[in-house]
């Protein structure tokens, strides 16, 4: 088993060559990787079975087991994901502005890879090829550290990707897996400043928290979404119902799903029963404040903690508010800054919501489920940043780059 | 003395109002601040004298004492600095791209303030008004934590800035000073994730290292520059001499000053004596590898440590190299990634240097001293980032912003 330091040293060796690779070289390697995944389907499924067998013995939940399981279809989807990355524009090498300064220097700002990216993630093994492909296309070496539940699956996937790299013109060590899945080594990775330029955690709130608290490597925090929908007194009733139902029930386990409904007091009595009916189809548990509870036919009392919780389940907290001010204040107090929506017919309410809500994506009259790199048209997504530094919201390939100033002089001194 | 938590709470209260301030409101407040500094000149000088008296008793070096000392001229320069910020474009509120996605949503990416910025800095009290002005213009609340050597000076400056804010339409708590200058509280500030969005350390290598190692708040690392100049075999001799002399001696104490000279073996014998002569005027100590030492008339042997050291003094390490490859490899091994220059007449050598040197600013035929927000034409500089995340190189006002996606829908759901 290769030590973390060795992985870091190999990554550094691969870094310069990959950073300077042409788009064609990278695309050819990505196509080889896609083919390799298909060719290794049987082997990957076999190795994945070791993980699912162990997980079943350990009695994990059906939904986690489902996330962990790889089928031929899922592997084909992973391969297709790599092919899709081929067709995305190369984010590296763009000089998006160039000017001449007072001394006559031509100064250009050019996009360059971040360098070596560490990804720490949890159960879903498809993240392995997905993250590897995105880092690779953006010219970044990646060190992957998956969860121990998916150890054999991740190892098989990375083995097949590296085989493909071996046939390409680019370094095999562009993609590496940390096989030691202990907590101590994860912590060591969080402080591997010498070899890592950035760390991106992908997973649940506890993982993200552990990385933020322990990392000395710069981190991009992703994915926790305590998401709000506010229905104001001018909202169209059907639109309001459709948006909250979609935002809550389309896929409750993801970060852009709604967790709290705020509704203006003037329409609560009229709209809440309609919304309750619609949500009943999905057996959504309603956790209501006093005023909402008085209108709803069935609910449990919302606690202070509920306002701050990302349920990721068929649970919705509901609060009746007196005004847009109260709605915005509630959101800015409890939100994780991911996505929020207002449903309104009032132009000025929409303007204020856009301006005053401090979140990565702020919607007027649309479901929060749209916060997604593919839906935004980026063609890819490495995660959804909930921090303000570097990138905020859905991150595509350009967010995996940094910049350097290239300066052309003719002997200028100061 | 107000506790750090209280400062954080006050900052959060001020944050929304300042983030939404119009350009005019901010500019009027900045003009009031500039006037207040001038009006408080006597008071600030008086308070500064307490700091310089104590420093003199403690026996600090003349150069540090000079950095600490405020005069009427220096205070006028601080005031002028604030006025200059008035004339810079407001970086907040720009929607630099907007598109319609497949679902018909209009999606705009708008620049917004980072939020609350913590600045941890050392002796020079003029950083206080400078950093406060830049954070303010970019809509960010700032919590300043200066060194204890400048405590009274910083307190007087912040008092006068806050008086001005009291007469403005914007919150007085937009600018706050942490008066507790203990190490424990500095460390607490580095982990104040609840109230701080970003931490920017400004100062020496030890300060930066302490912040990077201890902070859980996202950090922008600034300012350490182990800067290289490489003279290749096609370089014009006079140009090579002028550039290395300027890069080394124009202002040795700053981060864009050169620390190591690399020179191609074919021109070392011819050029090094000329360079030695020119540097002798400034009494520059030369620390040379064996081959350089054999050519120079006076030098001391360079140690392994010298290649990695930011001297910030009249000291230059010199190494003779066999090739551009060796020069680039040396730079990428020892550099802190700040600024590097090649002096060459060879088109292809310049191209390779630009491409392969992994630093924030890469020069062909110009002094590294140009790495500076003012020289680049940004009209301001909050620091020079040596990390790849968020910003790299000189940071102006736009680098003090983040973004949010504002989305306009008409009832779209997924």
């Amino acid at each position: 088993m290769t030590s973390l330091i060795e992985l870091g040293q190999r990554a550094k060796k691969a870094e310069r060559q990959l950073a300077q690779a042409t788009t064609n070289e990278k695309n050819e390697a990505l196509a080889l990787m896609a083919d390799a995944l298909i060719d290794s389907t049987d082997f990957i499924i076999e190795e994945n079975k070791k993980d699912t067998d162990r997980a079943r013995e350990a009695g994990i939940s059906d939904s986690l087991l489902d996330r962990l399981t790889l089928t031929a279809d899922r592997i084909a989807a992973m391969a297709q994901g790599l092919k899709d990355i081929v067709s995305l524009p190369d984010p590296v090498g763009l000089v998006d502005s160039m000017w001449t300064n007072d001394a006559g220097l031509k100064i250009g700002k050019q996009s360059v890879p971040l360098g070596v990216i560490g990804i720490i993630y949890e159960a879903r093994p498809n993240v392995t090829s997905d993250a590897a492909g995105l880092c690779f296309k953006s010219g970044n070496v990646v060190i992957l550290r998956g969860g121990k539940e998916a150890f054999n699956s991740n190892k098989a996937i990375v083995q097949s990707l590296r085989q493909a790299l071996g046939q390409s013109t680019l370094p095999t060590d562009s993609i590496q897996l940390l096989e030691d899945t202990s907590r101590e080594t994860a912590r060591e990775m969080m402080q591997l400043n010498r070899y890592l330029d950035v760390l991106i955690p992908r997973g649940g709130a506890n993982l993200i928290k552990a990385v933020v608290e322990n990392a000395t490597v710069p981190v991009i925090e992703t994915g926790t979404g305590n998401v709000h929908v506010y229905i104001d007194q001018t909202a169209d009733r059907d639109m309001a119902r459709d948006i909250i139902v979609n935002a809550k029930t389309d896929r409750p386990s993801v970060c852009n799903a709604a967790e709290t409904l705020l509704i203006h007091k003037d329409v609560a009595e009229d709209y809440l029963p309609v919304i309750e009916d619609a949500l009943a189809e999905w057996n959504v548990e309603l956790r209501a404040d006093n005023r909402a509870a008085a209108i709803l036919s069935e609910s449990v009392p919302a606690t202070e903690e509920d306002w701050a919780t990302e349920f990721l389940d068929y649970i919705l907290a509901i609060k009746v508010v007196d005004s847009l001010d109260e709605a915005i204040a509630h959101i800015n107090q409890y939100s994780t800054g991911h996505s929020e929506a207002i449903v309104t017919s009032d132009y000025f309410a929409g303007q204020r919501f856009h301006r005053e809500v401090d979140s990565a994506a702020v919607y007027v009259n649309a479901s929060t489920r749209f916060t997604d790199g593919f839906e935004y048209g980026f063609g890819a997504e490495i995660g959804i940043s909930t921090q303000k530094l570097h990138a905020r919201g859905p991150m595509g390939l350009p967010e995996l780059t940094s910049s350097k100033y290239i300066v052309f002089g003719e002997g200028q001194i100061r």
Side-chain angles (χ1 to χ4, degrees), chain A residues 223-239:
Chain A
T224 17
N226 183 20
V227 168
H228 298 74
V229 173
Y230 169 55
I231 298 173
D232 97 338
Q233 68 273 34
T234 67
D236 177 83
R237 191 171 66 179
D238 287 355
M239 190 187 288

Side-chain angles (χ1 to χ4, degrees), chain A residues 27-47:
Chain A
N27 285 345
E28 280 167 20
L30 282 164
L32 289 171
M33 288 188 231
D35 292 343
L37 283 182
I38 298 291
D39 291 346
S40 312
T41 299
D42 292 345
F43 172 63
I44 295 173
I45 289 178
E46 216 169 275
E47 293 298 304

Side-chain angles (χ1 to χ4, degrees), chain A residues 239-261:
Chain A
M239 190 187 288
R241 179 200 57 206
D242 291 351
I243 285 176
I244 184 63
V245 169
N246 180 260
K248 179 68 262 181
T249 67
D250 181 48
R251 215 170 145 202
S253 64
V254 295
C255 57
N256 58 21
E259 306 294 5
T260 295
L261 168 65

Side-chain angles (χ1 to χ4, degrees), chain A residues 18 38 74 108 114 187 196 205 207 229 242 268 273 284 296 305 329 349 359 375 382:
Chain A
L18 181 58
I38 298 291
R74 286 185 177 183
L114 286 166
R187 190 178 274 240
L196 289 180
L207 171 72
V229 173
D242 291 351
V284 176
L296 295 164
E305 207 191 326
S359 294
E375 291 294 330
I382 188 80

Side-chain angles (χ1 to χ4, degrees), chain A residues 175-186:
Chain A
I175 298 172
Q176 298 184 94
L177 179 71
L178 174 61
E179 295 188 5
D180 177 348
T181 58
S182 69
R183 269 162 187 263
E184 297 71 47
T185 315

Side-chain angles (χ1 to χ4, degrees), chain A residues 247-319:
Chain A
K248 179 68 262 181
T249 67
D250 181 48
R251 215 170 145 202
S253 64
V254 295
C255 57
N256 58 21
E259 306 294 5
T260 295
L261 168 65
L262 303 171
I263 186 163
H264 191 277
K265 64 176 167 45
D266 291 354
V267 292
E269 210 153 336
D270 184 16
Y271 289 16
L272 278 182
V274 178
I275 290 166
E276 183 174 20
D277 267 5
L279 291 172
E281 269 187 59
W282 307 86
N283 288 317
V284 176
E285 178 185 321
L286 307 181
R287 301 196 181 171
D289 77 334
N290 286 339
R291 288 200 284 181
I295 298 164
L296 295 164
S297 60
E298 207 184 322
S299 68
V300 298
T303 63
E304 174 65 21
E305 207 191 326
D306 285 328
W307 306 126
T309 300
E310 186 186 17
F311 301 115
L312 296 173
D313 204 343
Y314 289 95
I315 300 170
L316 181 68
I318 304 183
K319 185 184 171 77

